[in-house]
CSV table of all heavy atoms in Angstrom, one decimal:
chain,number,residue,atom,x,y,z
A,82,LEU,N,146.5,68.9,90.7
A,82,LEU,CA,146.1,68.6,92.1
A,82,LEU,C,147.3,67.9,92.7
A,82,LEU,O,147.9,67.0,92.1
A,82,LEU,CB,144.8,67.7,92.1
A,82,LEU,CG,143.7,68.3,91.3
A,82,LEU,CD1,142.5,67.2,91.3
A,82,LEU,CD2,143.2,69.6,92.1
A,83,VAL,N,147.7,68.4,93.9
A,83,VAL,CA,148.7,67.7,94.7
A,83,VAL,C,148.2,67.4,96.2
A,83,VAL,O,147.9,68.4,96.9
A,83,VAL,CB,150.0,68.7,94.8
A,83,VAL,CG1,151.0,67.9,95.5
A,83,VAL,CG2,150.4,68.9,93.3
A,84,GLU,N,148.2,66.1,96.5
A,84,GLU,CA,147.8,65.6,97.8
A,84,GLU,C,149.0,65.6,98.7
A,84,GLU,O,150.0,65.4,98.3
A,84,GLU,CB,147.2,64.3,97.7
A,84,GLU,CG,146.0,64.2,96.8
A,84,GLU,CD,146.3,63.6,95.5
A,84,GLU,OE1,147.4,63.7,95.0
A,84,GLU,OE2,145.4,62.9,94.8
A,85,SER,N,148.7,65.8,99.9
A,85,SER,CA,149.7,65.6,101.1
A,85,SER,C,148.9,65.2,102.3
A,85,SER,O,147.8,65.4,102.5
A,85,SER,CB,150.4,66.8,101.3
A,85,SER,OG,149.6,67.9,101.7
A,86,GLY,N,149.6,64.7,103.4
A,86,GLY,CA,149.1,64.5,104.7
A,86,GLY,C,148.9,63.1,105.0
A,86,GLY,O,148.5,62.7,106.1
A,87,GLY,N,149.2,62.1,104.1
A,87,GLY,CA,149.0,60.7,104.4
A,87,GLY,C,150.1,60.2,105.4
A,87,GLY,O,151.1,60.9,105.6
A,88,GLY,N,149.9,59.0,105.8
A,88,GLY,CA,150.9,58.5,106.7
A,88,GLY,C,150.4,57.2,107.3
A,88,GLY,O,149.3,56.7,107.0
A,89,LEU,N,151.2,56.7,108.4
A,89,LEU,CA,150.7,55.6,109.3
A,89,LEU,C,150.2,56.2,110.5
A,89,LEU,O,150.7,57.0,111.2
A,89,LEU,CB,152.0,54.8,109.6
A,89,LEU,CG,151.9,53.6,110.5
A,89,LEU,CD1,150.9,52.7,109.9
A,89,LEU,CD2,153.3,53.0,110.9
A,90,VAL,N,148.9,55.6,110.8
A,90,VAL,CA,148.3,55.8,112.0
A,90,VAL,C,147.7,54.7,112.7
A,90,VAL,O,147.4,53.7,112.0
A,90,VAL,CB,147.2,57.0,111.7
A,90,VAL,CG1,146.2,56.4,110.8
A,90,VAL,CG2,146.6,57.6,113.0
A,91,GLN,N,147.5,54.6,114.1
A,91,GLN,CA,147.0,53.5,114.8
A,91,GLN,C,145.5,53.6,114.6
A,91,GLN,O,144.8,54.7,114.4
A,91,GLN,CB,147.4,53.6,116.1
A,91,GLN,CG,148.9,53.4,116.5
A,91,GLN,CD,149.2,53.2,117.9
A,91,GLN,OE1,148.4,53.6,118.8
A,91,GLN,NE2,150.4,52.7,118.2
A,92,PRO,N,144.8,52.5,114.8
A,92,PRO,CA,143.3,52.5,114.8
A,92,PRO,C,142.8,53.4,115.8
A,92,PRO,O,143.2,53.5,116.9
A,92,PRO,CB,143.1,51.0,115.1
A,92,PRO,CG,144.2,50.3,114.5
A,92,PRO,CD,145.4,51.1,114.8
A,93,GLY,N,141.7,54.2,115.5
A,93,GLY,CA,141.2,55.1,116.5
A,93,GLY,C,141.7,56.5,116.3
A,93,GLY,O,141.3,57.5,116.7
A,94,GLY,N,142.9,56.6,115.5
A,94,GLY,CA,143.5,57.9,115.3
A,94,GLY,C,142.9,58.8,114.3
A,94,GLY,O,141.9,58.4,113.7
A,95,SER,N,143.6,59.9,114.1
A,95,SER,CA,143.1,60.9,113.1
A,95,SER,C,144.3,61.3,112.1
A,95,SER,O,145.4,61.3,112.5
A,95,SER,CB,142.6,62.1,113.8
A,95,SER,OG,141.5,61.8,114.7
A,96,LEU,N,143.9,61.7,111.0
A,96,LEU,CA,144.7,62.3,109.9
A,96,LEU,C,144.0,63.4,109.2
A,96,LEU,O,142.7,63.3,109.0
A,96,LEU,CB,145.1,61.2,108.9
A,96,LEU,CG,146.4,60.4,109.2
A,96,LEU,CD1,146.7,59.5,108.1
A,96,LEU,CD2,147.7,61.2,109.5
A,97,ARG,N,144.6,64.4,108.7
A,97,ARG,CA,144.0,65.4,107.8
A,97,ARG,C,144.8,65.4,106.5
A,97,ARG,O,146.0,65.6,106.5
A,97,ARG,CB,144.0,66.7,108.4
A,97,ARG,CG,143.2,67.7,107.6
A,97,ARG,CD,143.0,69.1,108.2
A,97,ARG,NE,144.2,69.9,108.0
A,97,ARG,CZ,144.2,71.2,107.9
A,97,ARG,NH1,143.0,71.9,108.2
A,97,ARG,NH2,145.3,72.0,107.7
A,98,LEU,N,144.1,65.1,105.5
A,98,LEU,CA,144.7,65.1,104.1
A,98,LEU,C,144.4,66.6,103.5
A,98,LEU,O,143.3,67.2,103.7
A,98,LEU,CB,144.0,64.1,103.2
A,98,LEU,CG,144.1,62.6,103.7
A,98,LEU,CD1,143.6,61.6,102.6
A,98,LEU,CD2,145.7,62.3,104.1
A,99,SER,N,145.4,67.0,102.7
A,99,SER,CA,145.1,68.3,102.0
A,99,SER,C,145.4,68.1,100.4
A,99,SER,O,146.1,67.1,100.1
A,99,SER,CB,146.3,69.2,102.4
A,99,SER,OG,146.1,69.5,103.9
A,100,CYS,N,144.7,68.8,99.7
A,100,CYS,CA,144.8,68.8,98.3
A,100,CYS,C,144.9,70.2,97.7
A,100,CYS,O,143.9,70.9,97.8
A,100,CYS,CB,143.7,68.1,97.7
A,100,CYS,SG,143.7,68.1,95.8
A,101,ALA,N,146.2,70.5,97.2
A,101,ALA,CA,146.4,71.9,96.7
A,101,ALA,C,146.0,71.9,95.2
A,101,ALA,O,146.6,71.1,94.5
A,101,ALA,CB,147.8,72.4,97.0
A,102,ALA,N,145.2,72.8,94.8
A,102,ALA,CA,144.9,72.9,93.3
A,102,ALA,C,145.5,74.2,92.7
A,102,ALA,O,145.5,75.3,93.4
A,102,ALA,CB,143.4,72.9,93.2
A,103,SER,N,145.9,74.0,91.4
A,103,SER,CA,146.3,75.2,90.7
A,103,SER,C,145.1,75.8,89.9
A,103,SER,O,144.1,75.1,89.8
A,103,SER,CB,147.5,74.8,89.6
A,103,SER,OG,146.8,73.8,88.8
A,104,GLY,N,145.2,76.9,89.4
A,104,GLY,CA,144.1,77.5,88.6
A,104,GLY,C,143.3,78.6,89.4
A,104,GLY,O,143.1,78.3,90.5
A,105,ARG,N,143.0,79.5,88.6
A,105,ARG,CA,142.2,80.6,89.2
A,105,ARG,C,140.7,80.4,89.4
A,105,ARG,O,140.1,81.2,90.1
A,105,ARG,CB,142.3,81.9,88.4
A,105,ARG,CG,143.7,82.4,88.4
A,105,ARG,CD,143.9,83.7,87.4
A,105,ARG,NE,143.7,83.2,86.0
A,105,ARG,CZ,143.9,84.1,85.1
A,105,ARG,NH1,144.0,85.4,85.3
A,105,ARG,NH2,143.8,83.7,83.7
A,106,THR,N,140.1,79.2,88.7
A,106,THR,CA,138.8,79.0,88.9
A,106,THR,C,138.4,78.0,89.8
A,106,THR,O,137.5,77.3,89.7
A,106,THR,CB,138.2,78.7,87.5
A,106,THR,OG1,138.9,77.5,86.9
A,106,THR,CG2,138.4,79.8,86.5
A,107,PHE,N,139.3,77.6,90.7
A,107,PHE,CA,139.2,76.5,91.8
A,107,PHE,C,137.8,76.5,92.4
A,107,PHE,O,137.2,75.5,92.6
A,107,PHE,CB,140.3,76.6,92.7
A,107,PHE,CG,140.0,75.7,93.9
A,107,PHE,CD1,140.3,74.4,93.9
A,107,PHE,CD2,139.6,76.3,95.2
A,107,PHE,CE1,140.3,73.5,94.9
A,107,PHE,CE2,139.5,75.4,96.3
A,107,PHE,CZ,139.7,74.1,96.1
A,108,SER,N,137.3,77.7,92.8
A,108,SER,CA,136.0,77.9,93.5
A,108,SER,C,134.9,77.3,92.9
A,108,SER,O,133.9,77.1,93.3
A,108,SER,CB,136.0,79.3,94.0
A,108,SER,OG,135.7,80.1,92.9
A,109,ARG,N,135.0,77.2,91.4
A,109,ARG,CA,133.9,76.9,90.7
A,109,ARG,C,133.9,75.4,90.4
A,109,ARG,O,133.0,74.8,89.8
A,109,ARG,CB,134.0,77.4,89.2
A,109,ARG,CG,134.0,79.0,89.3
A,109,ARG,CD,134.2,79.6,87.9
A,109,ARG,NE,134.3,81.0,88.0
A,109,ARG,CZ,134.6,81.7,86.8
A,109,ARG,NH1,134.7,81.1,85.7
A,109,ARG,NH2,134.8,83.1,87.0
A,110,TYR,N,134.8,74.5,90.9
A,110,TYR,CA,135.0,73.2,90.7
A,110,TYR,C,134.4,72.4,91.8
A,110,TYR,O,134.4,72.6,92.9
A,110,TYR,CB,136.5,72.8,90.5
A,110,TYR,CG,137.0,73.0,89.1
A,110,TYR,CD1,137.3,74.3,88.8
A,110,TYR,CD2,137.3,72.1,88.3
A,110,TYR,CE1,137.8,74.7,87.6
A,110,TYR,CE2,137.9,72.4,87.0
A,110,TYR,CZ,138.1,73.7,86.7
A,110,TYR,OH,138.7,73.9,85.5
A,111,ALA,N,133.6,71.3,91.3
A,111,ALA,CA,133.3,70.3,92.3
A,111,ALA,C,134.6,69.5,92.6
A,111,ALA,O,135.4,69.2,91.8
A,111,ALA,CB,132.4,69.2,91.7
A,112,MET,N,134.8,69.2,93.8
A,112,MET,CA,136.0,68.6,94.5
A,112,MET,C,135.6,67.3,95.2
A,112,MET,O,134.6,67.3,95.8
A,112,MET,CB,136.8,69.5,95.4
A,112,MET,CG,137.2,70.7,94.7
A,112,MET,SD,138.3,70.5,93.3
A,112,MET,CE,139.7,69.9,94.1
A,113,ALA,N,136.5,66.3,95.2
A,113,ALA,CA,136.2,65.0,95.8
A,113,ALA,C,137.5,64.3,96.3
A,113,ALA,O,138.5,64.6,95.8
A,113,ALA,CB,135.4,64.2,95.0
A,114,TRP,N,137.3,63.3,97.1
A,114,TRP,CA,138.2,62.4,97.5
A,114,TRP,C,137.8,61.0,97.1
A,114,TRP,O,136.6,60.7,97.4
A,114,TRP,CB,138.5,62.5,99.0
A,114,TRP,CG,139.3,63.7,99.5
A,114,TRP,CD1,138.7,64.8,100.0
A,114,TRP,CD2,140.6,63.9,99.5
A,114,TRP,NE1,139.7,65.7,100.3
A,114,TRP,CE2,140.9,65.2,100.1
A,114,TRP,CE3,141.8,63.2,99.2
A,114,TRP,CZ2,142.2,65.7,100.1
A,114,TRP,CZ3,143.0,63.7,99.2
A,114,TRP,CH2,143.2,65.0,99.8
A,115,PHE,N,138.7,60.2,96.7
A,115,PHE,CA,138.4,58.8,96.5
A,115,PHE,C,139.5,57.9,97.0
A,115,PHE,O,140.6,58.6,97.5
A,115,PHE,CB,138.4,58.4,94.8
A,115,PHE,CG,137.2,59.0,94.1
A,115,PHE,CD1,137.1,60.3,93.9
A,115,PHE,CD2,136.1,58.2,93.9
A,115,PHE,CE1,136.0,60.9,93.3
A,115,PHE,CE2,135.0,58.7,93.2
A,115,PHE,CZ,134.9,59.9,92.9
A,116,ARG,N,139.4,56.7,97.2
A,116,ARG,CA,140.5,56.0,97.6
A,116,ARG,C,140.5,54.6,96.9
A,116,ARG,O,139.4,54.1,96.4
A,116,ARG,CB,140.3,55.6,99.2
A,116,ARG,CG,139.1,54.9,99.7
A,116,ARG,CD,139.0,54.9,101.2
A,116,ARG,NE,137.9,54.2,101.6
A,116,ARG,CZ,137.4,54.1,102.9
A,116,ARG,NH1,138.2,54.8,103.8
A,116,ARG,NH2,136.4,53.4,103.3
A,117,GLN,N,141.6,53.9,96.9
A,117,GLN,CA,141.9,52.7,96.2
A,117,GLN,C,142.8,51.8,97.0
A,117,GLN,O,144.0,52.2,97.2
A,117,GLN,CB,142.4,53.0,94.8
A,117,GLN,CG,142.3,51.7,94.0
A,117,GLN,CD,142.6,52.0,92.4
A,117,GLN,OE1,143.2,53.1,92.2
A,117,GLN,NE2,142.2,51.2,91.5
A,118,SER,N,142.4,50.6,97.4
A,118,SER,CA,143.2,49.6,97.9
A,118,SER,C,143.7,48.6,96.8
A,118,SER,O,143.0,48.5,95.8
A,118,SER,CB,142.4,48.8,99.0
A,118,SER,OG,142.0,49.7,99.9
């Protein structure tokens, strides 16, 4: 898995993160986002 799209944004703004996955069975996987401070 490779994430992209992060950055600096002002309060009230928007961002879109992407996660590109390898493997031919991607559609069968549960996928999620977590965060850590």
Side-chain angles (χ1 to χ4, degrees):
L82 306 171
V83 179
E84 303 98 333
S85 61
L89 173 64
V90 63
Q91 292 187 342
S95 298
L96 277 177
R97 189 176 80 156
L98 305 183
S99 301
C100 173
S103 64
R105 292 178 292 178
T106 58
F107 167 79
S108 63
R109 303 177 187 175
Y110 280 72
M112 302 294 297
W114 289 96
F115 288 78
R116 65 187 181 186
Q117 189 168 22
S118 301

